[in-house]
Amino acid sequence: MSTAVRDLEQSGAVVAVDVGGTTVKGLLRIGDVVLDRAVVPTFGTVGTTDGTVSGTPTAAGPSTGGSAVGDLAAGGPALAAVVAVVDRLAAAATGAGHPLAAIGLCTPGVVDSAAGTVVVAVNLDWHDLPIADLLRERYGVPVAVAHDARAAATAEIAARTAAGRDVGEMVFIPIGTGISASLVVDGRLVVGAAGGAGEVGHVCVRPGGEPCTCGQRGCVEAYASARNIRRRYRAAGGTIDGATDEIVAAVDTDPVAAAVWADAVDALAAGVAILSAVLDPAVVVVGGGLGESGERLLAPLRTAVDARLGWRPSPRIEQSLAGAGAGLAGAALLARTAAATSTTSTTSATGTTSAPTSSAPATSAPAPAADPAPHGTRRTP
């Protein structure tokens, strides 16, 4: 066992959290072993009856009573869901005899990773939320925060690198409740000046079209996200009262599903064509829950992108190797990096022999790129 991996295991358990517009998912991990998982609705009934979460900060995990911690109420039900997930997994870590060492969290929106702040995430109703500080106060451990698509891309890069696949010039698009993209140029994740690089879901492809949660009309996300496919299907009179994957599975036999799916593919193809024309990626990787549709999505998407880029070669369009759990995997890498960095800092402070000072995780994947400090006016969700 390498010194780096041994240090990570000795540092305790880490919790990874993937915040989505529909559910908040979490896992508890020690080394490479997943000890527990938790999933709660993002906007379900969580916490106390008034939606707040109580407790006092402690390094061993949350307490069960006391005054409200920080300003958790500012995060509304979505943050209450996050706390519910971490509470459960932190308690599981303690019960298994492993101290909680760090939390890694990925979220949609514009994220300032250096400050640990979600600048804006419209699907979660978060604005300038200092989520890292709030969680650090409650749990007493390091907290790392990143944009969900970039965290997922980190896991995808690791999976593709292990498989010997190209990652030099890549666009990674996870499709779930929302749509975003991670841009990899010359092997590096691109963050952008305002931390909003890759928000292809909020590129207008249907001027004057359907309203989007970002305040614009005709965005890719308004037609092609899992939530909006389900919404548009039901609005058009569809009879399937189930999840989006059930609607997608019926496109060959249900005319309403087929029409809504065609609109979704066309809108997504328009976004991919724009990214392709600007970035010239070698490969576009489609992930997230909807990415699990495989060739049912990829085959018509390739055809539609080819039609829009008739004057130039299209990029390869492939299914994610990391799968629908890429966001959680990336968040786990964040947490392991934070735990290793904390262990190194503590060891250095006590004057004992320490591991290298690099904050890179014990894995072949790069850590998610740090987002820049805020500047100017940012409206990208």
Side-chain angles (χ1 to χ4, degrees):
M1 180 186 298
S2 71
T3 299
V5 172
R6 186 180 301 112
D7 287 344
L8 280 171
E9 293 186 349
Q10 291 175 348
S11 67
V14 298
V15 167
V17 182
D18 182 2
V19 186
T22 302
T23 61
V24 175
K25 304 178 182 69
L27 65 79
L28 172 65
R29 187 167 172 171
I30 178 75
D32 290 327
V33 178
V34 176
L35 300 181
D36 199 2
R37 294 178 181 269
V39 181
V40 303
T42 305
F43 296 98
T45 303
V46 180
T48 63
T49 55
D50 63 356
T52 62
V53 180
S54 297
T56 53
T58 169
S63 72
T64 56
S67 61
V69 177
D71 193 18
L72 286 171
L79 183 54
V82 170
V83 170
V85 166
V86 180
D87 277 359
R88 170 180 161 177
L89 296 177
T94 300
H98 297 289
L100 182 62
I103 299 167
L105 180 142
C106 64
T107 171
V110 175
V111 181
D112 182 349
S113 289
T117 298
V118 180
V119 180
V120 57
V122 294
N123 288 337
L124 304 175
D125 196 24
W126 286 352
H127 302 272
D128 295 317
L129 182 71
I131 191 167
D133 285 345
L134 294 171
L135 296 180
R136 189 182 302 115
E137 179 186 359
R138 180 173 178 83
Y139 300 101
V141 297
V143 179
V145 180
H147 186 276
D148 56 357
R150 285 191 283 276
T154 302
E156 181 67 25
I157 288 170
R160 294 181 68 85
T161 299
R165 305 284 282 275
D166 181 22
V167 296
E169 306 290 334
M170 180 180 81
V171 171
F172 176 67
I173 306 178
I175 307 175
T177 301
I179 298 177
S180 186
S182 287
L183 315 179
V184 180
V185 177
D186 196 22
R188 296 179 63 85
L189 281 165
V190 176
V191 174
E199 289 289 352
V200 68
H202 298 288
V203 170
C204 176
V205 293
R206 303 272 181 86
E210 295 192 11
C212 181
T213 55
C214 71
Q216 302 181 114
R217 286 183 171 272
C219 294
V220 172
E221 185 174 301
Y223 296 87
S225 73
R227 177 175 62 184
N228 283 306
I229 289 172
R230 188 168 60 251
R231 173 190 61 79
R232 298 187 75 246
Y233 172 80
R234 290 172 181 169
T239 57
I240 297 174
D241 186 20
T244 304
D245 57 358
E246 296 178 52
I247 297 170
V248 175
V251 296
D252 293 333
T253 58
D254 183 334
V256 176
V260 169
W261 184 242
D263 278 350
V265 171
D266 183 71
L268 183 61
V272 170
I274 291 168
L275 289 173
S276 299
V278 173
L279 297 173
D280 191 25
V283 59
V284 173
V285 179
V286 181
L290 206 59
E292 298 297 289
S293 302
E295 288 301 309
R296 187 178 290 276
L297 169 62
L298 301 183
L301 181 60
R302 292 187 191 106
T303 299
V305 171
D306 284 344
R308 290 175 178 271
L309 293 176
W311 59 277
R312 54 170 294 161
S314 298
R316 302 191 312 277
I317 299 178
E318 301 177 359
Q319 186 172 358
S320 167
L321 297 183
L328 265 181
L333 292 177
L334 285 170
R336 294 176 68 178
T337 299
T341 302
S342 177
T343 299
T344 299
S345 299
T346 300
T347 305
S348 299
T350 59
T352 57
T353 303
S354 64
T357 57
S358 170
S359 62
T363 172
S364 59
D371 294 339
H375 76 86
T377 300
R378 289 178 289 182
R379 297 181 59 252
T380 309

